[in-house]
């Protein structure tokens, strides 16, 4: 037998063909389910895929009811966004594209950058209206997942923020922290408590947890005042005088002679230890945070309480919103009707809400579900002030707060605006450390004005519509 | 037939590489140059910008801050890493040192774990209540440690310490290999001529390891100019007062905001920066050799 390129090349080609053929034959063709759902949170995956005693999991219920199979893929948040971003940027369709995807609030802004008809997610206004859910969901939460009035995601949660505090430690200091109506009063009360703790030898105990390196909580307090970093038209709001006042107040809680706050440790388990050891005695508590507190600091049962946030001014809300997740359908999903039925089953149905309640304390965005007794019972993990009660009715508190949560706007320019706020916060902290309150608010105003100018220029440069 | 085979076989042999190189290197490079001349949003919307992205980049104060930060990190890193790696290699090159293989492995092992892992470890070590601050507070008797992730100066120091911890062993291994290839007879001859330890190091060791030294400086410079993972994981962004804002971080922010065109322009600016710095270094070294 002769081969024009010679025997060695023939052998190499044969080896390549045999190896390639073997691999191709060995690889099991993966059967794609009717619907593919990507989630980033383990807790959510458990809620959807885990049986609850004799009750089958939500996904099994869905398959039994509709005959449609669902493949759930748990992917780390960063990986999920890299993959999804690439797929949407390539306008991809086919087996690699998820039909449904859960997105976290900190990462969703990038998907809203393209013109409306090129956003990779399916507009849901029509489906929400037809099904009647539009009027039953918290309207401000729908705004969060919208661009120019087009809704791209169904909210998973409301994420109202309360203040959680170590009732035992404040009581020991003789301070009634719940009497604080304003942040100023709160700071005064915390200073009294800290003075007591210092006398007791607790030199490293601080009254409140606030971030020093990230502006996450500062943004949360700005939302409490109804201020988003960017408005719906991507216009920076940093030059609002209330922003300078809030940044200054925040810095003075973390630095200077009236300091009451310190940064918490990173990681849920370590962070819970800060609370358990009394290194930090109060912290901002969105409802989703309670599950990890109970898990990692069970010894705090009966020692903590929740209260509404103190305000800066009377017109501020007694709460804010921090974090959040949405479920969206890919625009190129092959069966949007089936995908929508899955959204309804996981997020809005009674079975979906019961499964969620089984796994966490999170309040759903379905307002009529808030009347359910499950959101009004006492929770023994939280100390009660009412005689005869075994615990605080924290669901009731969160429901009250959820009715007042401010609108959070997600802008495509958010990745530019958040570092600007963090930068000014860092400068304010450095100023407060060196000079205390003197000239702080004025300096903040100046820095914020500079950042606003720079931000406007950069947003204009990147803006399309 | 032999002629046919003789003529085409080489092309067939190199074709897999050429095809892969074109598909995965040349085409993306060309595409990224083209993208850098566009404003992009979404899969179908591109708008021709010409050199507009580059023009904006040159005027953006934040970009220049990122360049300055990156150069400062690179300079500080190299000034510490090269002498420290060489010092370690000299120590561990001693034949009479007991357990030197263990030490070599211990110093080299951080390099195996990667930037993200090291950043997470340092994040925990340098946390407000972390072991480093507990030690410092105990030592100084204060109630507050250093703000490793909140104070701009301490934050820069933290990144440099983490980068050094990661890369000292890498430099050390190269220097060790170079030291072992220096001709021992030269040391003997120098000793006979009455050269002291410093003279032997300066006139025998250093010229002997010069190629490795140059290589490490160049590779170290390129690596330092691409610094990203350490500050990104340690500060979850630009760091206190943008102390961790490097050029790659700036690029990442452009990418995060979805403007792939602008991000491509930043990428090419980084290429220019690395090329410029590296060429300057090569010229300086050549001039020094000629002197």
């Amino acid at each position: 037998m002769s081969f024009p390129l010679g025997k060695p090349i023939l052998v190499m080609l044969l080896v390549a063909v045999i190896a390639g053929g073997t691999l191709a034959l060995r690889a099991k063709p993966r059967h794609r389910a009717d619907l593919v759902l990507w989630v980033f949170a383990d807790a959510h995956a458990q809620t959807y895929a885990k049986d609850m005693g004799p009750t089958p999991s939500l996904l099994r219920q869905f398959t039994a009811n509709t005959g449609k199979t669902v493949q759930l893929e748990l992917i780390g948040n960063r990986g999920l966004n890299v993959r999804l971003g690439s797929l949407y940027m390539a306008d991809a369709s086919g087996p690699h594209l998820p039909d449904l995807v859960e997105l976290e609030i900190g990462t969703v802004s990038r998907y809203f950058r393209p013109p409306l008809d090129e956003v990779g997610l399916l507009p849901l206004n029509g489906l929400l209206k037809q099904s009647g859910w539009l009027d039953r969901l918290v309207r401000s939460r729908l705004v969060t997942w919208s661009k120019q009035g087009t809704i791209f995601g169904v909210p998973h949660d409301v994420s109202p923020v309360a203040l959680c505090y170590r009732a035992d430690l404040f009581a020991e200091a003789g301070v009634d922290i719940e009497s604080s109506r304003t942040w100023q009063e709160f700071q005064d009360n915390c200073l009294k408590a800290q003075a007591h703790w210092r006398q007791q030898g607790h030199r490293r105990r601080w009254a409140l947890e606030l971030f020093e390196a990230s502006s996450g909580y500062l943004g949360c307090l700005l939302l409490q005042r109804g201020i988003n970093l960017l408005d719906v038209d991507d216009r920076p709001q940093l030059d609002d005088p209330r922003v300078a006042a809030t940044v200054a107040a925040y810095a003075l809680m973390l630095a200077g002679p009236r300091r009451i706050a310190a940064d918490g440790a990173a990681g849920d388990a370590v962070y819970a230890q800060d609370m358990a050891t009394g290194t930090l005695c109060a912290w901002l508590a969105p409802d989703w945070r309670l599950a990890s507190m109970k898990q990692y600091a069970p010894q705090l049962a009966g020692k903590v309480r929740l209260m509404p946030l103190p305000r800066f001014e009377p017109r501020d809300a007694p709460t804010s919103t921090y974090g959040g997740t949405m479920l969206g359908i890919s625009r190129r999903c092959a069966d949007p009707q089936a995908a929508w039925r899955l959204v309804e089953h996981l997020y809005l149905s009674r079975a979906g809400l019961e499964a969620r309640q089984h796994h966490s304390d999170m309040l759903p965005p379905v307002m009529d579900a808030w009347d359910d007794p499950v959101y009004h019972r006492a929770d023994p993990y939280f100390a009660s002030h009412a005689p005869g009660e075994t615990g605080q009715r924290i669901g009731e508190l969160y429901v009250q707060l959820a009715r007042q949560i401010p609108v959070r706007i997600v802008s495509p320019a958010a990745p530019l605006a958040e570092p600007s706020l963090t930068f000014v916060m860092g400068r304010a902290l450095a100023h407060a450390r060196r000079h205390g309150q003197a000239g702080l608010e004025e300096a903040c105003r100046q820095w914020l004005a500079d950042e606003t100018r720079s931000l406007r220029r950069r947003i204009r440069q990147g803006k399309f519509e | 037939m032999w002629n046919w085979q003789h003529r085409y076989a080489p092309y067939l042999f190199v074709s897999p590489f050429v095809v892969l190189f074109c598909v995965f290197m040349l085409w993306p490079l060309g595409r990224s140059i083209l993208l850098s001349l566009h404003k992009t949003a979404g899969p179908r919307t591109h708008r021709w910008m010409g050199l507009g992205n580059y023009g904006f980049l040159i005027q953006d104060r934040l970009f220049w801050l990122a360049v300055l930060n990156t150069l400062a990190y690179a300079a500080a890193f190299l000034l510490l890493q090269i002498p420290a790696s060489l010092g370690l290699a000299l120590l561990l090159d001693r034949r009479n040192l007991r357990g030197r293989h263990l030490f070599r492995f211990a110093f080299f092992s951080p390099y195996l774990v990667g930037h993200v892992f090291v950043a997470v470890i340092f994040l925990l070590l340098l946390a407000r209540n972390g072991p480093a601050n507990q030690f410092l507070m105990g030592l100084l008797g204060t109630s507050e440690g250093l703000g490793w992730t909140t104070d701009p100066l301490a934050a820069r120091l933290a990144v440099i310490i983490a980068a050094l911890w990661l890369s000292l062993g890498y430099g050390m291994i190269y220097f060790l290999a170079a030291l072992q290839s220096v001709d021992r007879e030269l040391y003997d001859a120098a000793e006979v001529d009455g050269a002291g330890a410093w003279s032997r190091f300066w006139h025998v060791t250093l010229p002997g390891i010069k190629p490795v030294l140059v290589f490490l400086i160049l590779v170290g410079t390129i690596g330092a100019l691409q610094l990203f993972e350490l500050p990104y994981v340690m500060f979850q962004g630009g760091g206190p007062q943008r102390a961790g804002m490097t050029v790659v971080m700036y690029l990442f922010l452009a990418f995060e905001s979805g403007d792939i065109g602008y991000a491509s322009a930043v990428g090419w600016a980084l290429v220019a920066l690395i090329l410029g710095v590296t060429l300057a270094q090569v010229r300086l070294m050549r001039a020094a050799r000629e002197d």
Side-chain angles (χ1 to χ4, degrees):
Chain A
M1 192 178 93
S2 71
F3 183 69
L5 296 176
K7 272 187 187 167
I9 291 177
L10 178 66
V11 171
M12 283 170 67
L13 283 174
L14 279 175
V15 169
V17 168
I18 292 168
T22 312
L23 272 178
L25 288 174
R26 276 176 63 91
K28 285 180 191 158
R30 195 171 172 189
H31 174 70
R32 191 185 192 274
D34 297 315
L35 293 170
V36 174
L37 164 65
W38 283 8
V39 299
F40 64 88
D42 186 39
H44 294 192
Q46 300 259 347
T47 307
Y48 307 148
K50 209 171 167 185
D51 293 340
M52 290 164 291
T55 315
S57 73
L58 288 174
L59 294 183
R60 290 208 305 159
Q61 288 174 29
F62 180 77
T63 304
N65 295 342
T66 63
K68 301 276 182 189
T69 54
V70 183
Q71 182 181 320
L72 177 80
E73 292 189 19
L74 176 63
I75 307 170
N77 201 17
R78 186 150 294 284
L80 183 147
N81 283 291
V82 169
R83 285 169 66 180
L84 192 71
S86 303
L87 287 165
Y88 283 172
M89 275 304 280
D91 208 8
S93 56
H96 298 295
L97 188 77
D99 299 287
L100 300 103
V101 61
E102 278 195 341
L103 293 170
E104 198 264 332
I105 202 161
T107 61
V108 78
S109 59
R110 72 173 75 174
Y111 301 103
F112 293 168
R113 182 175 150 77
L116 278 178
D117 60 338
E118 286 187 43
V119 172
L121 296 156
L122 187 74
L124 300 176
N125 299 52
L127 290 164
L128 280 164
K129 200 168 182 182
Q130 278 164 27
S131 57
W133 283 112
L134 194 61
D135 300 321
R136 295 173 63 190
L137 297 174
V138 180
R139 193 51 75 99
S140 61
R141 269 330 243 184
L142 288 171
V143 174
T144 304
W145 310 109
S146 306
K147 177 179 177 168
Q148 295 162 3
T150 304
I151 303 164
F152 288 104
V154 174
H156 173 268
D157 41 56
V158 191
S159 300
V161 178
L163 194 79
C164 187
Y165 69 95
R166 285 285 302 267
D168 57 335
L169 297 180
F170 278 101
E172 176 205 303
V175 171
D176 175 15
I177 202 71
E178 285 191 40
S179 67
S180 318
R181 293 285 165 259
T182 65
W183 281 107
Q184 187 70 37
E185 287 173 19
F186 179 80
Q187 194 167 8
D188 292 340
N189 280 329
C190 287
L191 285 168
K192 279 183 210 152
Q194 276 181 190
H196 171 82
W197 296 328
R198 299 288 179 269
Q199 275 178 357
Q200 302 296 309
H202 299 291
R203 287 195 310 151
R204 293 174 197 165
R205 173 171 290 171
W206 297 99
L208 178 65
E209 182 217 19
L210 288 178
F211 295 151
E212 282 185 78
S214 131
S215 60
Y217 281 167
L218 177 57
C220 179
L221 296 187
L222 287 173
L223 274 178
Q224 185 194 5
R225 313 195 68 181
I227 306 166
N228 280 276
L229 299 188
L230 299 151
D231 68 10
V232 282
D233 296 317
D234 296 339
R235 282 185 301 238
Q237 303 298 301
L238 294 178
D239 51 356
D240 183 321
R242 287 177 303 160
V243 179
T246 313
V247 174
Y250 186 92
L252 289 170
M253 286 198 267
L254 263 165
R258 285 174 53 81
R259 180 178 171 188
I260 56 161
D263 216 334
D268 279 347
V270 193
Y271 152 83
Q273 287 315 302
D274 274 347
M275 316 305 171
T277 55
T279 310
L280 296 169
C281 303
W283 52 96
L284 299 182
D287 54 357
W288 49 263
R289 211 172 191 183
L290 303 187
S292 66
M293 261 177 63
K294 288 177 180 175
Q295 182 185 352
Y296 294 114
Q299 65 271 47
L300 285 183
K303 294 179 180 172
V304 286
R305 269 184 67 79
L306 291 176
M307 63 179 266
L309 295 186
R311 307 171 202 231
F312 292 94
E313 287 176 330
R315 63 174 163 159
D316 298 340
T319 185
S320 183
T321 177
Y322 189 68
T325 301
M326 61 155 253
L327 180 57
I329 300 172
S330 289
R331 191 184 284 269
R332 288 188 167 274
C333 164
D335 189 352
Q337 286 302 328
W340 174 250
R341 288 184 71 182
L342 182 59
V343 172
E344 284 186 302
H345 184 63
L346 296 182
Y347 269 38
L348 309 170
S349 70
R350 175 141 295 278
L353 298 181
E354 275 171 8
R356 187 182 305 185
Q357 184 59 38
H358 185 78
H359 287 93
S360 76
D361 292 301
M362 288 170 76
L363 202 63
V366 184
M367 286 183 292
D368 36 282
W370 296 350
D371 296 330
D372 192 303
V374 82
Y375 298 111
H376 299 270
R377 65 187 176 199
D379 184 336
Y381 188 81
F382 296 90
S384 172
H385 279 177
E389 287 239 318
T390 51
Q392 190 183 4
R393 294 171 189 266
I394 59 156
E396 220 158 70
L397 174 66
Y398 277 121
V399 166
Q400 279 170 22
L401 297 178
R403 294 188 197 283
Q404 304 171 71
I405 66 151
V407 175
R408 177 167 175 186
I409 297 162
V410 172
S411 156
L416 302 175
E418 280 155 18
S420 287
L421 182 65
T422 309
F423 175 67
V424 173
M425 187 193 87
R427 294 190 78 167
L429 281 172
H431 181 108
R433 274 187 205 107
R434 278 193 216 108
H435 313 293
Q437 193 173 359
L440 177 61
E441 197 171 323
E442 182 51 37
C444 286
R445 235 190 311 272
Q446 187 59 47
W447 296 325
L448 287 163
D450 288 347
E451 284 301 310
T452 305
R453 272 193 296 277
S454 158
L455 201 54
R456 273 199 197 112
R457 224 166 52 81
R458 298 173 71 210
I459 290 172
R460 208 168 35 239
Q461 199 273 339
K463 205 168 168 68
F464 244 96
E465 294 117 330
Chain B
M1 188 174 70
W2 173 247
N3 258 353
W4 196 87
Q5 179 182 343
H6 200 240
R7 187 180 295 168
Y8 293 109
Y11 295 109
L12 193 69
F13 277 126
V14 297
S15 62
F17 167 75
V18 172
V19 170
L20 291 176
F21 182 74
C22 289
V23 171
F24 292 109
M25 291 290 285
L26 282 186
W27 189 78
L29 281 177
R31 181 101 179 94
S32 76
I33 291 178
L34 206 63
L35 267 175
S36 74
L37 306 175
H38 286 82
K39 184 187 275 194
T40 59
R44 294 184 296 277
T45 306
H46 291 197
R47 188 183 299 157
W48 174 256
M49 291 278 285
L51 294 175
N53 280 334
Y54 292 96
F56 181 80
L57 188 66
I58 285 169
Q59 288 173 18
D60 191 11
R61 275 186 310 166
L62 193 57
F63 172 70
W64 290 109
L65 175 75
V67 170
L68 277 178
N69 266 342
T70 308
L71 291 174
Y73 274 122
F77 172 72
L78 283 177
L79 285 173
L80 293 168
Q81 191 235 5
I82 298 291
S85 298
L86 181 56
L88 262 183
L90 287 168
L91 279 174
L92 295 176
D93 193 37
R94 293 179 174 186
R95 305 220 162 161
N96 54 357
L97 183 72
R98 287 176 68 182
R100 64 196 172 120
H101 294 295
L102 183 73
F103 284 122
R104 284 177 190 179
F105 175 72
F107 283 114
F108 182 67
S109 55
Y111 186 71
L112 302 174
V113 297
H115 282 70
V116 173
F117 188 76
V118 170
V120 172
I121 289 177
F122 271 79
L123 195 62
L124 296 173
L125 275 176
L126 304 177
R128 190 178 62 87
N129 279 328
N133 271 341
Q134 294 285 359
F135 174 74
L136 282 176
M137 289 189 282
L139 193 72
L140 304 172
T142 57
S143 59
E144 273 299 291
L146 262 181
W148 296 100
T149 54
T150 53
D151 177 73
L153 193 66
R156 287 189 173 98
L157 199 61
V159 171
I160 290 171
I161 293 171
L164 283 176
W165 189 75
L166 186 78
S167 61
L168 272 186
Y170 170 78
M172 176 202 75
I173 287 287
Y174 273 90
F175 278 128
L176 267 174
L179 286 171
Q180 283 161 16
S181 67
V182 178
D183 190 350
R184 295 278 146 189
E185 286 182 8
L186 291 175
Y187 288 108
D188 296 339
E191 218 167 329
V192 170
D193 287 345
W198 175 249
S199 283
R200 284 202 301 277
F201 171 75
W202 193 253
H203 296 291
V204 179
T205 308
L206 215 49
I209 62 166
K210 201 169 178 181
V212 168
L213 185 65
V214 171
F215 168 78
L216 282 176
I217 289 174
L218 289 181
V219 170
T221 306
I222 293 168
L225 292 177
Q226 292 175 335
L227 183 69
F228 170 65
E229 295 97 326
L230 286 177
Y232 178 69
V233 178
M234 286 170 78
F235 311 134
Q236 302 291 311
Q241 296 181 51
R242 297 184 175 135
M245 176 63 76
T246 62
V247 178
V248 182
M249 182 82 76
Y250 183 86
L251 189 159
F252 179 74
L253 281 180
F255 187 76
E256 282 276 282
S257 62
D259 192 347
I260 309 296
Y262 188 62
S264 300
V266 181
W268 282 103
L270 179 64
V271 170
L273 178 70
I274 291 175
L275 203 66
V277 171
T278 313
L279 282 177
Q281 275 182 336
V282 170
R283 281 196 165 195
L284 279 174
M285 286 171 189
R286 199 174 289 162
R289 197 165 53 209
E290 280 162 9
D291 285 347

